[in-house]
Amino acid sequence: MSREKATSRRRFLLGGLGLGVAGVGALVLGWGVLPPRQRLNGSAPLPVQDGAVALNGWLAIQTDGTVILAMPRSEMGQGVHTALPMLVAEELDVPLSSIRLIQAPMDKIFGNVAMLTDGLPFHPDDRGRLKALAQWTVAKAARELGVIVTGGSSSVKDGWGPMREAGAAARAMLVGAAAALWQVPAAQCRTQNGEVLHPDGRRASYASLARHAASIDPGTPALKLPADFKLIGQPAPRRDTPSKVNGSARFGIDARPPGMLYAALQLPPRLGDTLASFDAAPVLALPGVRKVADLTAALGRRGVSCVAVVADTYWRAKTAAAALPVRWAAGPQAGLSSESVLADFGRLLDSEAGFAYYSSGEVEGKAVQAMRQVSAEYRAPFLAHAAMEPVNCTAQVKNGKVTLWVSTQAPGIAVDVAAKVAGVDAKDVAIEVLLLGGGFGRRLEVDMVAQAVAIAMQCDGAPVQLVWTREQDTQHDMYRPAALARFTARLDEHGRIASWDNKSVSGSITHQFLQRNFGLPGAGPDKTTAEGEFDMPYEIANQRIAHVIADSPVPIGYWRSVGHSHNAFFKESFIDELAHAAGQDGVAFRRAMLVRHPRHLAVLDAAVAKAGSPPPGHAHGVALHQSFGSIVAQVAQVSVENGDIRVQRVVCAIDCGIAVNPNIIAQQMESAVLFGLSAALGGEITFKAGTVQQSNFHDYPVLRMGQTPEVETIIIASAEPPEGVGEPGTPPIAPAVANAVFSLTGKRLRSLPLRLA
């Protein structure tokens, strides 16, 4: 490890954790002598009813044998309400159909540990002590924080340990109860389909044993070995599909508490504008309108200046809000444009060295300076999330209590912000997390929660449902950051990459997120800005990957696959440029740099073999990328028709460790490809005079049915623990398509979205 690399990492870790030397010492002395917080039993008994018996903080057994499972992760189409119960059902030896989900209480055992540890800026190949210490420290801190959140493709990865342990512990308790009842050694008993069985023919249902089992110490039960899995690895049907087909599924927008009113907003037309005045009288005279409320003071830093209209139907609220006479005061970003943002990025790349996330060897030595140089610059725009379910939240403030009905990825943060806006304790906030009609990171934000609570506070105890229009959703998002990246590489006499120098610039999502949601100052490096660049697997001796953070005047947030979403395009496109400059095939060029990475080679080879040869008039483009622990290779079959880029077929190979549910993995690869392809071919948010130029799906398009390619998924068999699935399929699609376009046309597209005109 170079001195610069080691110093950079230590600086990041100390800055990111907010610790000085004294803090680290206290951490080592205080925490070092204590075991990590357990994740099996909560601070209070699991809240169950109707005679159910809780066996630990995660699950209980009902009198009819149904298993009640506390679910801490949000279902937004990624299949976690199927995959996570599979982990419990496997270890508990019950049918998947016997598990019923309840919302997990706000308890630290349900906090997402994996999501926080994955945020550390270490190269996947790093096996050093510093990485191990940092992961241990952050994991321990994450257990203490107990942040309940769904994101970072971490749900199955985080649940792999505690949810299996919960099932195994409950099974051990039930076996212990049966053994005591029969006066036989527990080792003689086995379990099957919700029963404990003995070789002499005796059997007892879990329901009959649960009450006695609750008092038995499970010890440290052994988890099943993969060879013994009966459910994990099988393509089980999605549990949420029937309700979504028959219409009984309840999303956030479906909340209907008795006496509910409806609210709509008028938001500022330009970024940073503030509410100067409004005339409520004309809309208060409209049918059904109950109230007009200025939310600016109540929201403070938690939201933009805005005004709400409350009515007895949504249509009346929306119509009245649009008709409300409002005067806005220009903010500091009235002159902002996309061109000015990119120009600032260019100046920063010229003037700033940036934070070096990874460096090895020497990229500026005399030996490499004499070699052939290839340079390129790539750009990516701001992107909206464009989830199908519009932004919404239903809130009630009554008798010092707050109740929320909301589709959110971050219920813990939602509860916290609701309590702060309403001026109550967090324990006085109840939340019902409903299904999400798409999340993609947008529902990690809680601006809609703060707004709904601020409105409900003025509605005399009535519940109020706030719904944004599609135009508001598009023009007041927390956008995927725009980014600019420069690459310089040197090729030796054999056409191999001798040095690789990459510097990029963008805003920091993490800085803004911490300030926006926790009131914490954003400082230090942010791994999400350079992920997908600094952590590439290619074996290049001399590397330097750096990033410059630009203070973003545009609100930015987490977007499906975060920094990987654009950095994969930059990196994999430039790899193809270098292959062309070296006169080599792009696949062979990559293979030569993966000698010590057999898993990556296997994924790449599987995708290329399955894709075969393109038909006449078409071309294949290839991209390989690792994100969220999973390795994905994609081959895109592309044609150009009347100047338009058309993608007919995508072959996607993935190594995500143990495949808990192959059906869900295939579905998520298809979803991620189409999501990424929508952005690659048409996604772009632009600013002019501080105003977002796009407003709805007519000018911020997503793929239509007739534009969607066939997606074929290959899942590489693995015995490694599960890694992320929801996001890794998105990053490779843009470079795969761009590389195919170059093969067809000879035109190198270095800016997103991909356009030939």
Side-chain angles (χ1 to χ4, degrees):
M1 180 186 295
S2 71
R3 179 176 300 175
E4 177 184 4
K5 174 179 166 186
T7 302
S8 295
R9 287 193 177 163
R10 288 184 176 90
R11 204 163 54 234
F12 180 95
L13 290 169
L14 294 178
L17 291 171
L19 300 169
V21 175
V24 173
L27 184 66
V28 172
L29 292 175
W31 281 2
V33 298
L34 297 174
R37 178 185 289 270
Q38 58 84 31
R39 298 182 70 184
L40 185 61
N41 294 295
S43 58
L46 187 65
V48 291
Q49 298 175 344
D50 301 326
V53 178
L55 298 183
N56 52 55
W58 293 82
L59 59 87
I61 307 292
Q62 284 188 306
T63 55
D64 63 355
T66 298
V67 178
I68 298 175
L69 173 62
M71 176 53 62
R73 303 292 172 251
S74 302
E75 178 60 76
M76 49 189 171
Q78 82 281 37
V80 293
H81 283 192
T82 301
L84 292 178
M86 288 176 69
L87 305 182
V88 174
E90 179 68 74
E91 295 291 348
L92 188 54
D93 274 339
V94 296
L96 182 59
S97 60
S98 71
I99 295 183
R100 181 171 69 85
L101 304 182
I102 63 169
Q103 183 177 310
M106 294 290 123
D107 196 288
K108 290 183 178 181
I109 66 169
F110 303 115
N112 192 328
V113 174
M115 184 175 175
L116 296 187
T117 55
D118 284 352
L120 290 167
F122 288 100
H123 197 286
D125 294 343
D126 193 335
R127 300 293 185 269
R129 292 182 179 179
L130 177 61
K131 180 178 181 179
L133 175 61
Q135 289 178 327
W136 180 88
T137 302
V138 171
K140 197 164 186 182
R143 292 188 183 206
E144 296 303 316
L145 291 171
V147 179
I148 300 176
V149 62
T150 305
S153 296
S154 61
S155 294
V156 172
K157 182 175 182 177
D158 183 74
W160 181 248
M163 298 192 86
R164 290 176 66 208
E165 289 165 5
R171 177 179 173 274
M173 296 164 73
L174 292 160
V175 168
L181 177 66
W182 298 332
Q183 296 184 337
V184 298
Q188 292 182 358
C189 301
R190 65 183 181 90
T191 55
Q192 179 180 311
N193 288 330
E195 292 184 317
V196 180
L197 294 82
H198 190 268
D200 66 9
R202 282 179 287 182
R203 59 200 307 152
S205 69
Y206 286 176
S208 67
L209 297 168
R211 196 158 299 280
H212 181 51
S215 61
I216 290 178
D217 182 357
T220 306
L223 301 179
K224 287 185 180 181
L225 298 174
D228 298 323
F229 289 160
K230 298 175 182 176
L231 183 58
I232 291 175
Q234 300 304 310
R238 285 274 295 268
R239 292 160 53 89
D240 54 338
T241 298
S243 65
K244 290 177 177 177
V245 171
N246 65 29
S248 63
R250 293 180 66 234
F251 294 82
I253 205 168
D254 295 321
R256 291 293 184 273
M260 188 179 80
L261 299 174
Y262 296 83
L265 299 176
Q266 190 171 142
L267 293 165
R270 290 182 303 191
L271 191 67
D273 282 7
T274 55
L275 184 63
S277 64
F278 62 91
D279 183 4
V283 299
L284 285 172
L286 295 174
V289 173
R290 303 290 183 86
K291 187 174 289 291
V292 179
D294 180 356
L295 306 183
T296 305
L299 296 177
R301 66 169 177 82
R302 300 178 184 89
V304 298
S305 178
C306 59
V307 60
V309 175
V310 180
D312 57 0
T313 70
Y314 174 66
W315 179 253
R316 285 175 169 176
K318 176 180 178 292
T319 304
L324 182 69
V326 176
R327 186 171 65 84
W328 300 96
Q333 308 305 332
L336 180 78
S337 69
S338 298
E339 292 76 14
S340 67
V341 169
L342 285 172
D344 287 341
F345 285 0
R347 285 190 287 270
L348 286 170
L349 282 184
D350 290 337
S351 61
E352 300 291 332
F355 179 87
Y357 283 84
Y358 185 83
S359 62
S360 64
E362 177 59 67
V363 299
E364 297 177 350
K366 291 182 180 180
V368 297
Q369 288 294 317
M371 298 178 186
R372 180 184 178 187
Q373 177 177 305
V374 180
S375 299
E377 186 172 289
Y378 290 84
R379 299 180 178 187
F382 294 103
L383 291 176
H385 294 83
M388 289 296 103
E389 181 188 10
V391 168
N392 69 89
C393 177
T394 304
Q396 182 177 33
V397 181
K398 185 177 182 180
N399 300 327
K401 307 284 186 181
V402 179
T403 305
L404 302 173
W405 297 264
V406 61
S407 47
T408 179
Q409 294 175 245
I413 301 175
V415 166
D416 182 63
V417 74
K420 289 177 179 175
V421 172
V424 301
D425 291 332
K427 64 180 176 58
D428 292 321
V429 180
I431 183 170
E432 182 178 350
V433 179
L434 299 160
L435 294 174
L436 284 62
F440 315 131
R442 179 61 180 95
R443 287 180 165 88
L444 286 169
E445 303 288 346
V446 292
D447 49 333
M448 72 294 290
V449 175
Q451 291 166 351
V453 172
I455 297 167
M457 289 173 66
Q458 303 187 44
C459 291
D460 302 320
V464 182
Q465 183 174 95
L466 169 67
V467 180
W468 287 24
T469 66
R470 176 61 60 187
E471 289 75 16
Q472 289 170 339
D473 204 350
T474 303
Q475 297 182 326
H476 294 274
D477 203 346
M478 280 70 171
Y479 302 98
R480 198 283 306 273
L484 179 66
R486 288 178 182 170
F487 293 84
T488 299
R490 304 271 180 172
L491 297 174
D492 66 17
E493 66 272 19
H494 304 291
R496 296 184 296 242
I497 301 175
S499 72
W500 173 284
D501 194 359
N502 167 211
K503 183 167 59 172
S504 56
V505 60
S506 69
S508 167
I509 298 171
T510 303
H511 287 187
Q512 281 204 15
F513 188 85
L514 290 174
Q515 173 63 39
R516 191 163 54 232
N517 293 291
F518 298 100
L520 298 174
D526 174 3
K527 178 236 185 183
T528 68
T529 60
E531 62 187 3
E533 292 178 326
F534 82 89
D535 46 4
M536 64 178 178
Y538 298 121
E539 297 151 9
I540 302 169
N542 302 298
Q543 298 183 43
R544 183 179 187 273
I545 296 95
H547 184 271
V548 180
I549 290 178
D551 291 332
S552 176
V554 176
I556 53 179
Y558 298 104
W559 191 90
R560 190 174 189 175
S561 74
V562 203
H564 293 283
S565 66
H566 48 84
N567 291 333
F569 168 68
F570 301 160
K571 179 258 296 178
E572 284 298 291
S573 295
F574 190 57
I575 286 287
D576 243 52
E577 289 208 46
L578 295 176
H580 179 73
Q584 298 181 32
D585 169 73
V587 174
F589 192 71
R590 288 173 172 83
R591 293 190 89 258
M593 295 186 291
L594 296 170
V595 175
R596 298 187 300 275
H597 292 79
R599 293 179 70 185
H600 295 75
L601 269 175
V603 172
L604 177 62
D605 289 347
V608 172
K610 180 69 173 178
S613 300
H618 297 68
H620 280 171
V622 177
L624 172 72
H625 194 74
Q626 181 172 352
S627 62
F628 306 94
S630 292
I631 306 160
V632 175
Q634 290 175 2
V635 180
Q637 180 183 311
V638 176
S639 65
V640 175
E641 303 173 13
N642 300 319
D644 293 330
I645 300 169
R646 298 299 302 269
V647 182
Q648 283 82 19
R649 179 187 180 213
V650 177
V651 175
C652 177
I654 179 171
D655 181 342
C656 57
I658 292 174
V660 173
N661 187 327
N663 268 359
I664 291 176
I665 294 170
Q667 291 166 5
Q668 283 304 289
M669 291 305 102
E670 294 165 6
S671 165
V673 166
L674 301 185
F675 188 86
L677 193 56
S678 290
L681 298 181
E684 184 178 28
I685 291 293
T686 57
F687 289 85
K688 183 177 181 180
T691 303
V692 175
Q693 299 300 288
Q694 294 72 29
S695 62
N696 209 315
F697 289 125
H698 69 285
D699 53 11
Y700 190 82
V702 297
L703 288 184
R704 270 45 174 187
M705 291 290 287
Q707 299 171 301
T708 57
E710 177 187 7
V711 180
E712 301 171 55
T713 300
I714 305 164
I715 302 171
I716 305 297
S718 175
E720 297 295 322
E723 296 286 355
V725 169
E727 296 168 275
T730 292
I733 188 60
V737 172
N739 294 337
V741 170
F742 178 77
S743 295
L744 274 176
T745 67
K747 186 172 183 179
R748 183 65 66 181
L749 303 180
R750 298 190 180 97
S751 295
L752 292 173
L754 302 172
R755 292 174 180 148
L756 285 169

